[in-house]
Amino acid sequence: MTHRILILGGTTEARQLARKLAARTDVSLTLSLAGRTENPVAQGVPTRVGGFGGADGLAAYLRETDVGLLIDATHPYAAKISANAAEAAGNTGVPLVALRRPGWEPAEGGRWTLVDSVSSAVTALGAVSRRALLALGRQEVAAFEAAPQHHYLIRSVDPVEPRLAVPDATYLLARGPFREADERALLLEHCIDVVVSKNSGGEATYGKIAAARALGIEVVMIRRPALPDVPSAETVEALAAMVDHFLVSHFLAPAAERGV
């Protein structure tokens, strides 16, 4: 019997999990990407790109394709997608598990200013001109037009279009992972005195946080949004084990026990 699994991805962990599950002979896998990145990394598994049309559209897709397990392995800040996944799973009865990457924690010597949103991060920069590294992704940086007195170094995977209507902004196209030594060199080269970041967690983009701490640079850290309370794991290995347990206990159980 082949079990259909849909992974909502866009993260390194989603890609790693997909490849791990794709090695199974009893799984038919699809990895879904939202399509926000113009040139995503090759996923190595069957992939669909684009939204579903909200929770109702996702629910329809789950029914139409007879998905037996939904996995939310999206970015920690993809709150709307995670909410849609939980709603669609609840409406269809399709089991849902999630990958919840642990967030970064302040370390001794670090200078963190915690804020709840991108707009709050803009305010936190203050009135006096500063040199800020914006490591947020191209969708969020437009909010910083409200503070044109600052000098911005904007790093993103895809070009920021249109560019910000501010007097001084430098654009850097780059894709992680980023090593701490390289991040320290970048901060020094551009005389950065504040880093604006989401608390993405993981190792791939932690280099800028470690480098800022080493250089005594402030980090304006945007807190994570609230996510649905669903069965979850913190690592690819732990989530793969959850999926394995689910496949054995659910799909191999007698039909009467599964309510079929």
Side-chain angles (χ1 to χ4, degrees):
M1 179 179 179
T2 299
H3 315 303
R4 296 185 182 276
I5 297 178
L6 174 64
I7 300 178
L8 305 179
T11 60
T12 299
E13 291 92 341
R15 185 169 65 253
Q16 293 171 344
L17 177 66
R19 289 177 175 174
K20 185 181 289 286
L21 295 179
R24 300 180 62 120
T25 59
D26 59 346
V27 164
S28 174
L29 184 70
T30 300
L31 176 59
S32 177
L33 305 178
R36 292 184 176 180
T37 300
E38 294 179 357
N39 297 295
V41 174
Q43 306 298 307
V45 298
T47 304
R48 72 174 299 280
V49 178
F52 292 93
D56 290 342
L58 177 55
Y61 180 91
L62 296 177
R63 294 189 184 99
E64 291 167 3
T65 57
D66 194 27
V67 170
L69 177 64
L70 177 61
I71 300 176
D72 176 10
T74 57
H75 193 273
Y77 286 78
K80 183 59 177 176
I81 298 176
S82 292
N84 288 343
E87 183 177 342
N91 291 340
T92 59
V94 173
L96 168 66
V97 294
L99 183 66
R100 296 284 190 253
R101 180 195 303 169
W104 299 319
E105 297 292 338
E108 184 177 354
R111 297 171 54 207
W112 284 21
T113 297
L114 297 174
V115 298
D116 291 323
S117 65
V118 173
S119 60
S120 297
V122 176
T123 302
L125 292 182
V128 177
S129 177
R130 306 183 70 180
R131 302 188 65 87
L133 167 63
L134 304 185
L136 298 174
R138 60 175 179 165
Q139 288 86 11
E140 291 88 359
V141 296
F144 290 85
E145 290 183 340
Q149 70 273 25
H150 303 300
H151 308 273
Y152 295 113
L153 174 61
I154 302 169
R155 182 167 65 192
S156 60
V157 174
D158 296 314
V160 176
E161 297 175 352
R163 294 197 167 191
L164 270 61
V166 297
D168 189 355
T170 300
Y171 299 86
L172 177 63
L173 294 180
R175 189 193 301 267
F178 301 108
R179 299 189 307 133
E180 179 182 345
D182 295 333
E183 295 291 72
R184 186 184 300 203
L186 180 72
L187 297 178
L188 290 173
E189 177 186 354
H190 292 273
C191 301
I192 298 299
D193 59 56
V194 60
V195 173
V196 182
S197 174
K198 293 178 178 178
N199 193 341
S200 299
E203 298 180 0
T205 60
Y206 185 71
K208 62 179 176 292
I209 307 302
R213 181 173 67 250
L215 296 172
I217 293 173
E218 179 188 3
V219 175
V220 175
M221 185 68 75
I222 302 171
R223 292 186 178 93
R224 290 186 173 190
L227 297 176
D229 184 11
V230 301
S232 62
E234 294 186 347
T235 66
V236 171
E237 291 73 19
L239 189 57
M242 285 181 65
V243 173
D244 183 66
H245 176 75
F246 174 84
L247 293 176
V248 172
S249 63
H250 186 80
F251 289 117
L252 299 185
E257 293 182 14
R258 294 188 272 118
V260 176

